[in-house]
Each structure stands twice: as C-alpha cells, then as structure tokens.
Amino acid sequence: MKKKYLYTALFCAFGLFSCEDILEPKIDGGYGDEFTWKNPNKAKGILLQAYDMIPKQWDSEYSGAFLDVATDNAVCGDLSSSMYKLGQGGFSNSSYPLDIWNKAYTQFYNINLFLENGLADDIIYRLASEDVNQEFKKRLKGVAHFLRAWWGSELLRVYGGLSEDGEALGYYIVTETLRSPEQGLEYQRNTYEECVQQILKDCETALTCLPEKLGSGNDGIYSEVNIGAIDRRTVWALKSRVTLYAASPAYRPQGSYAISDEEAEERWERAARISCEALDATMEADGKPLIGSYVPLKEDKFNQNKTPDEFLFCKFHNNQSLERSNFPPRFRGNAHTQPSQNLVDAFYDINGYPIDHVETVYNDAQPYELRDPRLDWNIYYDGRVFGKENVPLDIYVDGVTGRPAQDAEGFDYRNSRTGYYLRKWLSTKAKMLSVENSQNDNHMHAIIRRAEIYHNCAEALNEAVGPKGVLPDHPTYTAYGIMWTVRKAAELNVKTADGYLDEVATDKDSFRKLIQNERRIEFAFENQRYFDMRRWLLPLDESVRGVKCVNTDGTKVYDTEMEVENRERLGNRNTNSKYYYAPLPYDELVKNPLMKDNRGWSK
C-alpha cells in the first residue's frame, strides 16, 4: 500500500507546483474544485492539456532542427544547438536535450485528475439528451486512456533501458492522484514489461470507447477538435509501436534478469500479432489495405487543412518556423537540418537495388538520376529547382577559381556543410520568406503514419517467423509481402518483380538489413532514426559525410567521401555503451534512493 500513496510526493518533488496546488487544484487563476468539476469546459480543459502538450510540429522539441541531426542522417547547422551537442554525446543527467520526465508526469497528473473527477454523474457535457451526454463522456474516457498510454510510450522511448545489473526498466507507473500524506520519496521505476502492459491496458480501454474512424456520425469531441483527433486506428498504431520497441534487442534483460530465447521470440510474436491486427483494423471499408504511397508528401497534401488518410495521428500548425529554420540561407532560412551523404547513399536506384550493387543502374557521374523517387521528396541537391522559385540550387565550387557558388559551403557561413538541404515537410510557396511578401503556410505534423504499421509488422514478422513465414492466425501477412507493398507504393520500378527483394529474402539477417534501410528511408526526418538506431544497438560512431561538387566549365565531379562530422568523441561502442540509453534526471536520482539509472550513467 505504501507505494501507491507516493504520487503526491512524487509530483511535488518535480518542482512544477507547490504541494498546496496539488492538494487543491485551481484552474484559470482561482477556480477551485467545486467550480471546475461542475463546469464542463473547465473539466474537459484539464484533460486536453495532455493533448495540447504533444508537439505541434517536427522541430518544436529539437531547437529548430529535426532529431535526425543527432544521427547519421544529417548534421545540425547550428553548432550552439542542443541537438548538435546531443549528436556529439555532450549531455548528462543534468543536461539531457530530450528530457521529458517532468512534462510527462504533469500530463499523467492531469489525465488521472480528469478520470477521477471529470466523468462524474453530475457533470453534463451535452444538454441535448442524456444518451448524447453519456456518449460524449465515453469518448472523453477513451481519449484520456489513450493519452495516458501515449505519454507512457514517450517515456519508454526516451528513458527505457537496462540498468547496470541488466534489469530492463521503464518509468514509474502512476494511475491515480491519491492525496494522502507520505513521508519520503522511496519510489522506483517499473520494469520495461510492466510499463508495456500498462500502456496496452490503457489502449484496450480506449478501443472500447472510441469510434472506429473519425468523420462518421456524431463524433462529439471530434467535431470540436477534428485535426489530429484520436480514433481506434490511432490506438492500434500506438500498440504496434510499443510492442515493436519492447521486442527490440536494446530492451532485452541481461544478467540475473535475463529472459530465454523463447521468451524473446514470444515478444516478437506479440509485436507481429498486434501489428497484423492493427493492419486489419486500419483497412478501408472495402477491405483493401491503404498504405501511404508518399502522395501526401510529394504533392504537398500535408499543407492542407484536411488530414490525409495516411496520417493516423497528427497535429496542425500554420506558420513559417520550419522554413525559417531549414530553408537555404539564400532563401532567408538558416539550414539547421543538413541531410548527409550517408542518407543519400541509402536511397536505392530506380529498380530497387542499392547503389553499390552489381545490378545497379546508378551512375556516380550523375548521382541523382535514376534514383528512388523518395530521394527527391526528402532532399534538395545541387542543380535541383528550389520549391516554386524556378531557381536551381548552386551547391558547387568553381573548378577554375575555387570560389564557392551561392548555396555552397563558404559563400554564407550558414550554408550547408554537407552539400544538401532539407526538402521534406517544407512549404514550396514562392517567396515565402521574402521581405516584401512574407507568408505562412499550413503544416501537418504526422505523428504516426499508416506506413509505420506496415514497417512494424514486417520487422516483427521477420524476427518471429522469417521473411516468408506466417502467423497461424494471420496467414495473409508476410514480411516479404509487406515490403513488396511498401516498395511498390514508393514508386520504385518493382511493379511486377523485385529482384533485390527476392535476393535478400533467403534469410532473416539479410532481410533485417533491408527492413532497417527501408525504415530509414521511409521515416527520414520524422524523428524516428535516433530511436531506431538505439533499440537495435546499431553503431553510433559512424562519420557523417557530405558531398563536394566541383564545376569546371559545366562539367561537374562529385566527391561523396567528404567527412563533415565525426563521432569519435563517442568512442568505439558495444552493446553495453551508455549512449544507447538516456540518463535519468539528476534531481530524481538525488531525491529517490531506490531509483536505478540506466547503464553507464550511474557513476
């Protein structure tokens, strides 16, 4: 019983509110409990704080850049940024750029407070009829449980890891706001698997309360918040993500906590089964699968007010901050996110072969021709027309004079060090940041895309049953079949046959490498690569390369081995490296003697 009464002490310890504020929550500068829980707008507002705190745009949590700059996908143009320091390993328990500990527990408190008070019989959200009112409460309950699952999943993504003795740990689970006094702060993290089970439990409750798909019938809360709102498809997508992470090598317990190979395989099977069920749950009405064909990205449909079907969970913003941070300096941006040659090399040729494969049609004299179409929708390269400006980017050095062209490193101190600029998610409006006619544009922050479920399912199936194996209850899905669907949707020239896919489908290890590369390409600049590299314990010290283009009288030669940034500071790593796991906040470790830190950070 002792543990469950620690919520108040825990929350007060974060320093976000005084204990008096916790014991007597006040809304809007003075409204107390009685008013709050009689006023439906105030009550609902407490819950929606947990929704509003989910970032509205890609770079809002990452100092104006994308999290990819802390990986081999890109470098950060702002050398004073916390994201640059993150990529170089410059962080600690007291200065971790991805720290969301206090933020997440604030949302847990709001959610639990709402669940305990906001669904009472005497609070009326809809006056039309009691049936409508009860349906509205049901939807709010579903939203609350999803949001608690969401913030739990974010804590797991950021802080999940192994302790020094090999225990797989997550976060401290709180599901109530008991206000009984308690001496001391002796709480500790739950195991990773206990956190997964709590998230899945919340998701199951959400599934019983939410509509199958938004936009049909009386959607209650969704008629008010229809962009980025939550339905069952969103919940299934979160279940797929959480169970995939839970099966990943980085979170497999070791030492005295070790699990058997059979138990590890069962976790992959769980992820595969749930992802198959998620695919079934997100089918269209005619039973046909709908996977993202990159259409919302390549046709700028993410700049519209209507949510594309590809986006299962997203938020909306209307401004120009992404462009100011990431446009080339010539167009009044700051080039904070600079894609790497490493990422460019990861894109296939048009026939789906790696560019170093014997069958490739890649030509290093014309490196951007006959390539995977997704390259163009992620990256601006030399000679490519920028947006709708009708102006090609000049990212080269004159071979005669040695002078850099207008968009090359050295012409402007902010110009890209890699020779590439970000394209994905940015507006293509002409003169968007001009002095005379500066404009905003609509943007979608696609927090979970439909394509992620496909990738999750393929990865889990491959680990559980191999490239062409099936689960008994879901015989229509194979890792091979899903990857073929993904590659066809990407508009590679694989409509009738996929030679490279067939080549690597002979064993699990080869197919795993393909899946990991496909995931890297598909979700580039969606802030996923950082976590994917860590959950798979991939090497983190690879040097980041760029391209140097030399233009001599119209003939261009490309040097793609130019080292832009090395990660030597991080050293040669192994599976015990501390950089695979995040440090817990220093204040929590000092105040809580039972709190175990992640491996490598406890000294």
Side-chain angles (χ1 to χ4, degrees):
M1 291 295 291
K2 182 178 182 181
K3 181 177 178 182
K4 72 176 183 177
Y5 290 108
L6 293 172
Y7 189 96
T8 301
L10 171 70
F11 201 77
C12 290
F14 295 147
L16 298 179
F17 302 94
S18 71
C19 287
E20 181 182 355
D21 289 333
I22 298 282
L23 295 172
E24 299 182 17
K26 294 178 175 61
I27 310 301
D28 289 353
Y31 296 114
D33 280 359
E34 184 177 355
F35 178 83
T36 297
W37 303 118
K38 296 293 185 181
N39 185 312
N41 288 329
K42 299 294 182 185
K44 186 177 65 176
I46 291 176
L47 172 62
L48 293 185
Q49 287 182 59
Y51 175 84
D52 289 340
M53 290 305 294
I54 298 173
K56 292 183 178 180
Q57 58 190 72
W58 295 105
D59 62 347
S60 58
E61 302 291 291
Y62 306 121
S63 302
F66 287 69
L67 188 53
D68 294 63
V69 300
T71 75
D72 52 1
N73 273 2
V75 300
C76 188
D78 181 2
L79 301 188
S80 66
S81 166
S82 63
M83 290 300 103
Y84 175 77
K85 296 173 184 177
L86 179 67
Q88 295 297 317
F91 55 92
S92 66
N93 296 87
S94 57
S95 61
Y96 182 51
L98 304 186
D99 180 18
I100 61 165
W101 190 273
N102 288 350
K103 180 179 179 179
Y105 277 96
T106 302
Q107 309 323 314
F108 282 156
Y109 181 78
N110 288 330
I111 294 163
N112 293 333
L113 192 65
F114 175 82
L115 286 172
E116 292 169 9
N117 298 278
L119 302 175
D121 292 340
D122 58 349
I123 185 168
I124 300 174
Y125 291 97
R126 287 292 182 267
L127 296 173
S129 73
E130 181 56 22
D131 288 344
V132 173
N133 185 49
Q134 290 302 320
E135 176 64 19
F136 193 81
K137 286 184 178 180
K138 181 180 176 182
R139 302 292 175 86
L140 287 174
K141 180 180 178 181
V143 169
H145 282 274
F146 171 81
L147 289 173
R148 192 164 68 185
W150 172 262
W151 284 107
S153 74
E154 288 297 280
L155 281 172
L156 270 190
R157 278 218 301 180
V158 174
Y159 295 105
L162 300 188
S163 63
E164 293 291 353
D165 56 1
E167 187 176 14
L169 297 171
Y171 56 94
Y172 176 66
I173 296 173
V174 287
T175 58
E176 49 193 346
T177 59
L178 295 174
R179 302 185 176 99
S180 296
E182 180 68 273
Q183 298 298 319
L185 295 168
E186 297 180 352
Y187 60 90
Q188 54 190 308
R189 297 163 71 189
N190 289 84
T191 68
Y192 196 103
E193 180 60 22
E194 287 171 344
C195 293
V196 170
Q197 291 298 328
Q198 177 59 47
I199 291 168
L200 293 179
K201 181 179 178 181
D202 278 331
C203 285
E204 288 306 311
T205 300
L207 287 173
T208 65
C209 298
L210 294 171
E212 181 176 346
K213 183 179 179 181
L214 301 182
S216 58
N218 178 12
D219 283 336
I221 188 173
Y222 308 113
S223 63
E224 302 169 28
V225 188
N226 56 11
I227 292 179
I230 301 154
D231 58 25
R232 289 181 201 166
R233 301 173 306 165
T234 317
V235 181
W236 276 109
L238 182 61
K239 290 181 65 176
S240 172
R241 176 185 288 185
V242 168
T243 52
L244 182 80
Y245 273 60
S248 300
Y251 310 119
R252 181 172 176 175
Q254 298 176 359
S256 61
Y257 300 98
I259 61 175
S260 66
D261 291 343
E262 182 179 350
E263 289 176 291
E265 185 175 316
E266 287 174 355
R267 292 187 179 182
W268 282 117
E269 290 175 355
R270 176 180 65 183
R273 183 183 68 256
I274 287 177
S275 293
C276 286
E277 291 170 354
L279 286 180
D280 289 340
T282 56
M283 290 281 185
E284 292 303 281
D286 58 5
K288 294 180 180 179
L290 177 63
I291 186 172
S293 61
Y294 247 67
V295 169
L297 282 68
K298 71 182 185 178
E299 293 184 1
D300 292 344
K301 290 188 177 180
F302 58 85
N303 293 120
Q304 297 181 4
N305 288 325
K306 182 179 180 182
T307 306
D309 285 334
E310 166 66 3
F311 300 164
L312 297 180
F313 187 34
C314 71
K315 301 193 83 170
F316 167 84
H317 59 101
N318 185 296
N319 58 39
Q320 54 181 224
S321 65
L322 278 176
E323 290 71 29
R324 287 200 175 277
S325 293
N326 296 292
F327 268 11
R330 191 195 336 179
F331 299 97
R332 297 188 170 275
N334 289 292
H336 282 170
T337 303
Q338 302 172 5
S340 68
Q341 184 66 47
N342 311 52
L343 176 60
V344 172
D345 288 349
F347 287 90
Y348 305 97
D349 74 6
I350 189 61
N351 294 325
Y353 285 98
I355 62 172
D356 59 353
H357 194 280
V358 65
E359 298 291 338
T360 187
V361 295
Y362 170 78
N363 179 357
D364 58 11
Q366 298 174 314
Y368 311 119
E369 296 186 9
L370 298 176
R371 294 296 294 273
D372 184 329
R374 290 172 291 188
L375 175 62
D376 275 1
W377 301 107
N378 277 274
I379 295 170
Y380 283 119
Y381 46 78
D382 175 65
R384 185 167 176 211
V385 172
F386 180 75
K388 296 178 182 176
E389 302 287 353
N390 296 318
V391 176
L393 291 172
D394 295 327
I395 318 175
Y396 61 79
V397 174
D398 189 287
V400 177
T401 66
R403 294 174 181 171
Q406 192 167 359
D407 302 302
E409 183 182 17
F411 186 91
D412 186 305
Y413 74 94
R414 298 168 298 169
N415 278 359
S416 174
R417 292 179 288 138
T418 66
Y420 297 106
Y421 292 94
L422 180 67
R423 157 66 180 92
K424 194 172 182 180
W425 305 117
L426 302 185
S427 174
T428 59
K429 279 186 177 180
K431 303 185 183 303
M432 185 172 180
L433 303 182
S434 69
V435 175
E436 304 85 4
N437 188 29
S438 181
Q439 308 170 65
N440 291 333
D441 202 356
N442 298 328
H443 298 78
M444 292 283 185
H445 177 196
I447 302 169
I448 302 181
R449 286 174 46 207
R450 187 187 297 268
E452 183 180 337
I453 303 177
Y454 282 77
H455 285 260
N456 294 349
C457 193
E459 181 180 327
L461 281 171
N462 183 59
E463 298 303 321
V465 293
K468 295 187 177 180
V470 299
L471 296 178
D473 295 338
H474 300 279
T476 59
Y477 296 116
T478 66
Y480 174 89
I482 291 171
M483 279 294 102
W484 192 5
T485 300
V486 165
R487 284 159 65 87
K488 285 193 295 183
E491 300 183 357
L492 291 168
N493 186 24
V494 294
K495 303 304 179 186
T496 57
D498 191 329
Y500 183 63
L501 193 66
D502 291 335
E503 178 183 318
V504 298
T506 56
D507 66 273
K508 182 186 297 186
D509 293 342
S510 297
F511 210 71
R512 180 187 303 124
K513 292 179 181 178
L514 175 134
I515 289 171
Q516 289 175 345
N517 195 63
E518 282 288 346
R519 191 177 183 95
R520 178 183 189 179
I521 292 170
E522 186 76 26
F523 303 110
F525 309 111
E526 299 187 24
N527 300 332
Q528 295 210 38
R529 175 73 172 167
Y530 181 88
F531 300 108
D532 284 340
M533 293 182 75
R534 282 153 179 77
R535 68 184 179 84
W536 268 109
L537 302 173
L538 298 178
L540 302 178
D541 55 357
E542 180 181 0
S543 293
V544 180
R545 294 177 290 110
V547 61
K548 182 177 181 179
C549 176
V550 178
N551 185 350
T552 305
D553 297 328
T555 301
K556 294 182 177 181
V557 177
Y558 299 88
D559 174 9
T560 60
E561 297 300 321
M562 181 182 69
E563 184 177 288
V564 174
E565 195 167 284
N566 67 64
R567 305 294 165 90
E568 292 179 1
R569 177 175 178 178
L570 302 184
N572 295 320
R573 302 186 181 155
N574 53 45
T575 55
N576 293 324
S577 170
K578 69 179 183 179
Y579 289 100
Y580 287 113
Y581 308 114
L584 266 65
Y586 175 79
D587 289 347
E588 297 310 309
L589 296 171
V590 170
K591 289 179 291 193
N592 299 283
L594 296 181
M595 182 77 81
K596 284 186 179 180
D597 204 353
N598 282 329
R599 176 172 289 176
W601 297 103
S602 58
K603 296 180 181 180

